[in-house]
């Protein structure tokens, strides 16, 4: 059903807004991937994980936004049974992967600040590849079990999904069977998927904060904090919107309110992530300048 209840003029405005956000997200994340690959100064673990995050955000957007744009532009609100299942599968996969990847990035910052001399040895190429694989892998079993189980139920009656994508709660309302066991699994699974990475992030930043407080100079403290401030902001945006969407009481969770909250982490946050990392990071800005200068064969580039 998406935003079909809104007037046509507002739907047209939403189409232009979402199209702009989508293009900015794709171009921004692709630019981060290209710059961090092209510039030797950014060939370190922090930017390796940032590339992974950019790949993930591109995939996350491809799952959700094109269907929204098609619905708003062509007023075609239909989606096939298989298409709905596929969209849900990849939504779970990328969502779970992002939770664990953000935790891995927090661990990377912990090692960089708390063990700077051992950082190149601990976070060597093999270790960071394993950490990246461990971040992506949990998405497969979670998405497979939840999507397969949900779509094995019988559906009857209305076939209207009151959302702008095939998320589990609105699709579950269309099931004509006892779903109590599935709902328990879904709640427990969501709590574990969200809370385990969140606790790892909190542990990492608790240790980071303790290490930063021991630094004697204010300049040293500011430099140490600046290396993880972008990640902290990204984590905050993602987890706040996710928690407000899935952990609010049902009595306070109207369908339209949930749609707006879902927009924040499915559409808006992927756009903000690369902006946060590029605008708040001098290394990325300098690398972008060097890459542009080399591409255009300009002189006086930043060394």
């Amino acid at each position: 059903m998406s935003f079909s209840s809104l007037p046509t003029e507002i739907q047209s405005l939403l189409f232009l807004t979402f199209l702009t956000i989508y293009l900015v997200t794709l171009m921004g994340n692709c630019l981060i991937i290209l710059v961090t690959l092209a510039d030797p100064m950014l060939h370190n673990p922090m930017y390796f994980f940032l590339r992974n995050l950019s790949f993930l955000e591109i995939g996350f957007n491809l799952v959700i936004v094109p269907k929204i744009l098609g619905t708003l532009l062509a007023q075609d609100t239909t989606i096939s049974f298989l298409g709905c299942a596929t969209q849900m599968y990849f939504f779970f996969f990328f969502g779970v992967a992002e939770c664990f990847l953000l935790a891995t990035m927090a661990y990377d910052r912990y090692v960089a600040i708390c063990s700077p001399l051992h950082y190149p040895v601990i976070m060597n190429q093999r270790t960071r590849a394993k950490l990246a694989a461990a971040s992506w892998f949990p998405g497969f079993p979670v998405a497979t079990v939840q999507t397969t189980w949900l779509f094995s139920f019988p559906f009857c009656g209305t076939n209207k999904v009151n959302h702008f994508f095939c998320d589990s709660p609105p699709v579950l309302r269309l099931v004509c069977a006892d779903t109590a066991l599935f709902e328990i699994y879904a709640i427990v699974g969501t709590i574990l998927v969200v809370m385990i990475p969140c606790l790892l992030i909190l542990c990492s930043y608790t240790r980071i904060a303790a290490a930063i407080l021991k630094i004697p100079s204010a300049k040293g403290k500011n430099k140490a904090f600046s290396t993880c401030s972008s990640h902290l902001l990204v984590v905050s945006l993602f987890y706040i919107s996710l928690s407000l969407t899935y952990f609010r009481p049902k009595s306070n969770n109207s369908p339209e309110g949930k749609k707006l909250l879902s927009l924040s982490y499915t559409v808006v946050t992927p756009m903000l992530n690369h902006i946060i990392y590029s605008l708040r990071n001098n290394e990325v800005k300098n690398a972008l300048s060097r890459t542009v200068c080399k591409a255009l064969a300009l002189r006086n580039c930043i060394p």
Side-chain angles (χ1 to χ4, degrees), residues 15 40 53-54 60 76 84 89 94 110 156 164 176 180 182 190-191 197 200 205 218 220 257 288:
F15 170 80
L53 182 64
S54 292
F60 205 57
D76 180 12
C84 188
Y89 179 91
F94 286 117
Y110 157 71
C156 60
F164 58 86
C176 305
F182 174 83
T190 302
I191 291 172
L200 292 173
Y205 276 106
L288 180 58

Side-chain angles (χ1 to χ4, degrees), residues 6 139 233 242 276:
L6 297 174
L233 189 53
L242 197 67
I276 291 168

Side-chain angles (χ1 to χ4, degrees), residues 115-136:
S115 302
L117 297 178
H118 298 97
Y119 180 64
V121 177
I122 297 173
M123 298 299 292
N124 57 58
Q125 190 170 3
R126 185 175 180 180
T127 301
R128 64 191 189 220
K130 287 182 178 179
L131 287 171
S135 300
W136 285 85

Side-chain angles (χ1 to χ4, degrees), residues 4 42 79 100 102 112 152 173 190 193 208 224 254 264 272 282 285:
S4 56
L42 302 185
I79 186 169
F100 283 93
L102 290 174
S152 66
R173 296 190 190 103
T190 302
V193 163
I208 288 171
S254 68
S264 63
L272 293 178
N282 287 328
K285 287 190 285 187

